[in-house]
Each structure stands twice: as C-alpha cells, then as structure tokens.
Amino acid sequence: MSDLDKKVQPATELLPGAGYPKQKSKYKSVAIKAGLVAFAFFISAATFSARGASRGSYGVNTDVCSQAAELIPEKNGVIWESSNVRYDTLPFKKRAVKWLGGAIRIPTETYDEMQPVGIDPRWEIFHVFQDYLLEAFPKFHKALKLTKVNTYGLLYEWKGSDASLKPLLLAAHQGVVPVENATLGQWQHEPFSGHFDGEYIWGRGSSDDKHGLIGIMSAIESLLELGFKPTRSVMLAFGFDEEIGGLDGARSLAAVLLERFGPKSFAMLVDEGIGYGTQYGQVFALPGVTEKGFLNIQIDLASPGGHSSVPPPHTSIGMLAKLLVEIEENPFEAHLIRGSPTYKTVQCLAEHGSEMPLAWREVIRLSQYSDEALREAEMLLLQNPIIKSLAGTTQAINLIRGGIKTNALPEQAWAVVNHRISMESSLNETTSRQTDLLRPLASGFNLSYTAFGAFLSEPDVPAYGSLNLSYAPGASMDPAPVSPTDGGAAPYDLLSGTIKAAYNSHRDIEGDDNIVVSPGIMPANTDTRHYWNLTDHIFRYRHVRLGGRLPNNPHTVNEVMEADNFIEIIRFFTALVLNADESELI
Ligand SMILES: *[C@@H]1O[C@H](CO)[C@@H](O)[C@H](O)[C@H]1NC(C)=O
Ligand SMILES: *[C@@H]1O[C@H](CO)[C@@H](O)[C@H](O)[C@H]1NC(C)=O
Ligand SMILES: *[C@@H]1O[C@H](CO)[C@@H](O)[C@H](O)[C@H]1NC(C)=O
Ligand SMILES: *[C@@H]1O[C@H](CO)[C@@H](O)[C@H](O)[C@H]1NC(C)=O
Ligand SMILES: *[C@@H]1O[C@H](CO)[C@@H](O)[C@H](O)[C@H]1NC(C)=O
C-alpha cells in the first residue's frame, strides 16, 4: 500500500501513541478506553477471549451489520476439501515458505524519483523477479496466458469455459519500498534474506505485497495440481510501481483491461488491504470498500524583497505564517453520517463487539433512529483520532520553505498542505473551501489572489504582493467510489462468505459469527485507484491475521510474515477462486 505523495506512511504509524484530547464529559473513561481499542483497530495488538459476558444481555440486531452466511464451495467441494487437507501438511508449508522466501530474495525496490521504464536501470531487477516466478510456478505458467504490459506489468489470463461469466480480477504488486541503508543494522535478519526461522518468514515485501502476489500464485498452482479447471475466467493484474503511484504499472494494466474487456466488465476485484483481528472481544475482518481522497495544495506567496534594515510590517514569511495559522485554526469538520462507510464500521463494532462498553453500544444503536443519539455518538467516537480521521477531511502542513539570507527580505515563501479527503467530500469541495478560507487574509495583506488557475482579485488594482494556491506536483485523487455492501450486494456477500469459510476451515470450527465481516476504509492508497472503471465491486483485503506475536511491519525494519498466516492467505484465495467460479449471483 502506498501514499500518493510517495512518502509512504505504514498503517501502523497512523496509530496514535497517546495524547488525544482531554475531555470533561461523563464519557471520559469510556473515551480513553476507546483510544486503546482504536489502537487495536488496525494492528489488533490485544487478543481478548472470543466471548464477553455482556454479549448475551445485549443481543444482536440482525438488520445492522448484516452478515452473509459462510460460503463453502459445493460444486467445487472436492477440490476445496483436498486443498484443505494439503494446506495442513508439512510438505506444503515447506513449499509455501520456499515460494515466498524466494520472492523476497529478489530486491524489487522502487524509488521515489525513478526514470521511465527502459531508461532507469533500476527497473531491470523485475526481469529477475519474473524469471523467478516462471521457474517457481510451472503449472501456473502452462495454464495461464501472460501478457506483459509496459515491460514489467504482468497480466495473466486463466480462461474459463463459460465466456458469458464476468471474470474475477485479482490484483497485487511486485515492487517493494526500499530498505534504508541506515537501518540495516536494526534488521534481525537481512531484509532480502527471505530467512525462515521456523515460524516467521523475514524480509522486505513479506507483508506488502509479495505475500499477496505469491499467495495468489500458490493457490492457483495448487488448484492446477488438483486438476481444477475454471468455468469463470480469472484475470491477474500485477503492477510493479504501486509504492510510487502505479502510474506506469497499474495505470497501463487498467488501460489494457479496459480495452480488452470494456467498462464494468469484472464481477469483482480484490487487491491488497486490511486484514482481520480481534476488536472489542470479537474477531472482525475489515475489507476496505473505499479509499480516502488525496490532495496536496501548494501555497506560494511573493512580495517585494529588499534590505532588511527598513522592513515592511510583514514579510513574505510572516504573511505565509499567518495563512498557515488560519488553516490550522480552521480544521475541516468531521461528522458521523448515517450510511457512510465509517458509520457502518462503527455499527458493526458496536453490534458484535461484546467488550465494547455497553453505554457505547447503546448510543450507537440508538443513533440509527435518534439525531440526539447520533450527535452523542459523534461526540464520543470522534475523540478517537483514527475514527475522526476516517470521518472527515484532514489537513497537515508538511512542507515549508522561504528566505535565502539573514539580512535580505524574502521575496518568496511557500508551503504544502496535505489533505486526505473524506468519502462525503471531493477535491473540488476541498480546494474551494481552502480558497474561501484564505481570501480575507489575501485582501487584508493587499495581495493579488490566484487559486487553482482562477484570478480572484479585482483586475488592474495594484497589489503589494501575490498569493497563489495550486495543486502541488504529484497525484491527487477524489475519494474512491464506495463498493456496495447493503441489501444482498452479491460480490460483497461472496467475499464475506469466503472470508468465513477460510477462517472456519483453518480452525476446524463451524458457525457464522466466529469472524464478523464489516465494511472498512482503506487508510492508505492502493493500485485500485486505477481500476475504478473496471468494476463497481472493489475490495481492499488481504486475509492476514493482525495481532500475532510479531507485528508485520510493512515499510519498516523487520518486516515479517508468519508462515501459518501465509498459508491462510493461500487458503483464502483458493476459496475465493472456487466460490467465484461456481457463483450464479456475481
Ligand atoms: C544503499 O547502499 C548501496 C551501496 O552503497 C547503494 O547502491 C544504494 O543505492 C543505497 N540505497 C539507498 C536506499 O540509499
Ligand atoms: C466546485 O465546488 C463549487 C463550490 O463548492 C461549486 O459551485 C462548483 O459547481 C463545483 N464545480 C464542479 C466542477 O464540481
Ligand atoms: C496595495 O499595494 C499597492 C502597491 O504597494 C498600493 O499601490 C495600493 O495602494 C495598496 N492598496 C491598499 C488597499 O492598501
Ligand atoms: C500559480 O502557481 C501555478 C503552479 O505553480 C503556476 O503555474 C502559475 O503560473 C501561478 N500563478 C501565478 C499568478 O503566480
Ligand atoms: C474512468 O473513465 C472516465 C471516462 O472515460 C475517465 O475520465 C476516468 O479518468 C477513468 N477513471 C479512472 C480511475 O481511470
């Protein structure tokens, strides 16, 4: 997963250490607990027992956070059974470790400033990676047709016997974020060793995203060995530059897929995303049904220079500072909105999280009908910085420059403000809002004002200096469309039922509420931003258990993947391919 500004922040770093606002209300202790639980929201550090005492007394409202039934392959039941038997064997585990370890050993690092494919020699390592795939997955490469897109993009087609069925699209990326040389000493095992210590597989890419790519290929190799022949076609899109925006990889793959299959031609798409873990005493899976938008606004301020012995009351830097203070003093409002993805996540947690404080569960449940309860729920939940960030547009002033000398007035000063746009908003609304916010200061300082190409000052009136807002270099994006989850949305239900089948099969348990599936929001960005036109049903989900003995550590030192966890990923993809294959609903 990546960020569009290429300076990637791992999901675990999004988590607050401490220090959310003190509050004086009666909800204080509850809010503090919420902060702790929110920590578990993404990395699920705590593991509680699966059943809490308060659950029985609360009851479950089946209309809220409705759950699809576990979906066990039937037509393909024999293959599913055989797969499960083999995945539990030691020889298969050894193969899985070898497959992933081998992929990690090829350092497919992608850097922020890379020249195009064909010019920058650093791309060439992807040839080595692809040779490895060819050698490691022989049956796969016999059965699937490979098209290389923009040299390193891999598009595989596994043709089904029934061309009238919309294909399943699975995505993953080959590239990884670089390992910083300064951190080499902190790795317990070398970052590209693919070392297996008997429990964990070590190295860069093990949990972002080679576990996904190799997981898909391992599942298909194994299905082929068991004699499976698809009815529904399966397409695999493996980009290579996801960590730096996907412009050369996923964007090119999307163009080819669109050309070949047409718009909205895929039954569903599953790419990297959030996993599953324990929250409030219940195991939840949180497939991302959308992604927040992304925008960097550049603020350029110019005013006359000169010797600093006779200064004006405000220099370019002083005026810029005032603008930035204005921005910070006016954060975007965050709201809990009925029907929004954030609201649905919260509802699922309240409905099924037996260890969530009862007062919380009550107010969230009432908030469906009562505006007062909704406001109360909002007040409680938005104390939590993660929920707050999901519920609204955020802004952060991340870059600033200005001035060249201690005794010269600065002619130029600039800053960049990063925004993550809420699902209810848009790029346009965000730029308009910031433009309006700064307008009074621009005229107060007697600056001509240009915002996103529009000249907003009185024409021909002389000004002391100029203020210019613009898109900072780099990508921006509107929030992703929200994939349907309500009212029997067949692809979401198929995904949910598959998650349950994979989870239950591994643990040899039966029943539907062992793992609850809730719509989630992807906090970072993925290659799916290029795939919107291919299907309405996009899910960002890896069947990765969060909260194991060691954290997975994507993007940082000591990135690992537990071998048993990796086998669950393979099992999940197996179930997904089989279920999609036999479904008449998607
Ligand atoms: C790390 O050091 C190697 C060898 O000195 C160099 O080639 C490479 O570019 C460095 N990597 C980074 C990320 O700085
Ligand atoms: C952008 O937003 C403004 C105000 O929010 C609105 O008036 C305008 O129609 C929008 N433009 C587009 C292209 O959506
Ligand atoms: C703005 O600055 C210009 C240039 O210094 C000056 O001519 C003009 O009178 C100023 N206008 C106001 C309203 O201060
Ligand atoms: C504002 O900034 C944009 C982007 O840097 C630039 O293209 C444009 O010329 C600037 N406009 C003014 C009036 O300075
Ligand atoms: C989807 O298609 C529309 C219309 O052709 C195009 O403008 C848009 O950029 C496409 N979106 C993506 C994410 O490719």
Side-chain angles (χ1 to χ4, degrees):
M1 62 194 85
S2 73
D3 265 358
L4 289 184
D5 66 355
K6 303 178 184 179
K7 294 282 180 273
V8 179
Q9 212 184 9
T12 46
E13 276 187 13
L14 295 171
L15 301 171
Y20 43 90
K22 295 261 186 303
Q23 58 153 3
K24 295 180 194 80
S25 85
K26 59 181 169 166
Y27 298 110
K28 179 167 180 170
S29 62
V30 179
I32 287 169
K33 181 133 186 243
L36 297 175
V37 176
F39 186 79
F41 195 17
F42 290 125
I43 63 162
S44 197
T47 20
F48 302 102
S49 71
R51 290 287 178 274
S54 57
R55 181 179 183 124
S57 61
Y58 186 74
V60 171
N61 176 353
T62 50
D63 293 342
V64 169
C65 189
S66 65
Q67 293 295 300
E70 177 186 30
L71 194 59
I72 299 170
E74 281 174 17
K75 193 182 118 215
N76 298 312
V78 173
I79 301 253
W80 171 239
E81 286 305 320
S82 316
S83 301
N84 277 319
V85 170
R86 80 159 33 192
Y87 294 159
D88 290 339
T89 63
L90 197 57
F92 186 82
K93 184 165 169 174
K94 284 187 175 154
R95 286 178 82 193
V97 166
K98 201 173 154 206
W99 272 328
L100 182 55
I104 293 167
R105 279 189 280 278
I106 299 153
T108 49
E109 292 170 291
T110 51
Y111 301 86
D112 279 354
E113 308 302 337
M114 276 180 94
Q115 298 295 309
V117 168
I119 295 174
D120 199 317
R122 290 177 295 180
W123 292 117
E124 286 162 19
I125 189 73
F126 286 85
H127 283 308
V128 181
F129 186 68
Q130 294 172 6
D131 287 346
Y132 167 73
L133 298 180
L134 270 173
E135 177 203 310
F137 299 100
K139 283 209 154 52
F140 176 106
H141 283 92
K142 250 197 189 132
L144 280 74
K145 184 168 166 262
L146 170 62
T147 309
K148 293 197 176 180
V149 177
N150 197 11
T151 311
Y152 299 114
L154 300 178
L155 188 62
Y156 287 104
E157 177 172 21
W158 195 11
K159 226 180 173 63
S161 54
D162 186 346
S164 72
L165 299 173
K166 286 184 166 186
L168 169 68
L169 178 57
L170 301 176
H173 62 86
Q174 308 166 58
V176 298
V177 292
V179 171
E180 281 201 35
N181 284 339
T183 66
L184 280 172
Q186 297 170 40
W187 286 77
Q188 288 180 43
H189 299 282
E190 299 218 341
F192 296 105
S193 64
H195 175 77
F196 180 53
D197 66 7
E199 187 184 1
Y200 283 90
I201 305 159
W202 289 74
R204 174 63 82 235
S206 59
S207 67
D208 184 6
D209 177 36
K210 286 181 174 167
H211 65 326
L213 189 146
I214 300 296
I216 293 168
M217 295 184 82
S218 305
I220 293 178
E221 184 78 6
S222 178
L223 282 169
L224 286 164
E225 287 171 359
L226 292 170
F228 175 71
K229 292 196 176 70
T231 308
R232 181 190 300 277
S233 293
V234 180
M235 297 297 299
L236 311 177
F238 296 159
F240 53 91
D241 59 345
E242 190 277 341
E243 298 292 359
I244 55 173
L247 295 180
D248 292 321
R251 192 167 61 170
S252 312
L253 287 160
V256 171
L257 285 166
L258 201 60
E259 157 108 27
R260 212 194 275 178
F261 293 88
K264 312 289 181 197
S265 52
F266 291 88
M268 61 194 288
L269 160 60
V270 179
D271 196 356
E272 62 175 335
I274 315 170
Y276 65 92
T278 302
Q279 284 299 302
Y280 300 110
Q282 168 68 50
V283 180
F284 285 95
L286 292 167
V289 298
T290 184
E291 279 174 34
K292 291 187 82 178
F294 188 101
L295 165 68
N296 282 325
I297 295 181
Q298 171 136 359
I299 304 176
D300 282 291
L301 205 142
S303 69
H307 200 278
S308 87
S309 56
V310 192
H314 303 288
T315 68
S316 296
I317 292 174
M319 289 184 277
L320 177 64
K322 190 91 181 189
L323 296 172
L324 298 179
V325 168
E326 182 75 3
I327 288 172
E328 284 209 338
E329 285 182 348
N330 292 280
F332 289 75
E333 284 183 17
H335 287 294
L336 202 55
I337 296 172
R338 288 192 194 107
S340 69
T342 312
Y343 187 72
K344 286 182 184 166
T345 305
V346 164
Q347 274 188 309
C348 276
L349 295 176
E351 200 59 34
H352 297 275
S354 60
E355 292 177 8
M356 182 185 270
L358 271 178
W360 277 55
R361 301 183 78 184
E362 201 55 43
V363 78
I364 292 168
R365 175 181 260 192
L366 286 173
S367 73
Q368 292 168 69
Y369 321 105
S370 151
D371 290 347
E372 195 190 338
L374 183 65
R375 281 193 299 275
E376 213 169 293
E378 184 175 285
M379 194 186 78
L380 281 175
L381 296 169
L382 299 191
Q383 307 273 346
N384 176 304
I386 294 178
I387 297 179
K388 186 171 178 189
S389 75
L390 293 177
T393 297
T394 59
Q395 57 180 18
I397 302 162
N398 288 345
L399 281 179
I400 185 165
R401 299 277 187 281
I404 46 165
K405 207 166 180 315
T406 51
N407 62 355
L409 298 172
E411 280 153 344
Q412 314 274 347
W414 59 265
V416 173
V417 189
N418 176 246
H419 301 79
R420 306 303 171 100
I421 304 169
S422 90
M423 268 62 65
E424 289 76 40
S425 186
S426 63
L427 281 171
N428 180 40
E429 191 175 69
T430 310
T431 54
S432 304
R433 193 270 194 184
Q434 300 298 56
T435 300
D436 293 345
L437 179 70
L438 300 183
R439 193 192 297 256
L441 283 174
S443 79
F445 284 128
N446 192 8
L447 303 171
S448 71
Y449 192 21
T450 312
F452 307 99
F455 187 71
L456 301 173
S457 312
E458 294 290 312
D460 305 327
V461 176
Y464 174 64
S466 70
L467 172 62
N468 184 6
L469 306 192
S470 59
Y471 288 96
S476 58
M477 73 177 234
D478 269 314
V482 180
S483 304
T485 58
D486 289 343
Y492 178 74
D493 286 354
L494 186 136
L495 177 75
S496 302
T498 300
I499 291 171
K500 292 180 180 192
Y503 184 85
N504 290 344
S505 152
H506 167 53
R507 284 159 189 79
D508 214 8
I509 45 182
E510 284 175 23
D512 269 343
D513 58 356
N514 304 303
I515 182 166
V516 168
V517 182
S518 162
I521 296 167
M522 186 68 195
N525 296 114
T526 67
D527 269 343
T528 61
R529 76 185 76 121
H530 300 292
Y531 297 145
W532 295 353
N533 286 334
L534 298 174
T535 173
D536 290 334
H537 305 279
I538 298 180
F539 303 106
R540 300 144 188 93
Y541 182 74
R542 286 279 179 260
H543 195 61
V544 176
R545 183 169 70 95
L546 304 168
R549 187 172 64 81
L550 299 178
N552 291 334
N553 287 331
H555 291 213
T556 184
V557 298
N558 294 322
E559 183 176 343
V560 291
M561 175 54 48
E562 196 181 355
D564 287 343
N565 204 344
F566 179 54
I567 288 170
E568 293 319 296
I569 295 172
I570 299 172
R571 194 190 309 272
F572 164 78
F573 281 123
T574 304
L576 183 62
V577 167
L578 296 178
N579 278 333
D581 192 74
E582 63 187 52
S583 171
E584 290 171 2
L585 301 172
I586 60 170

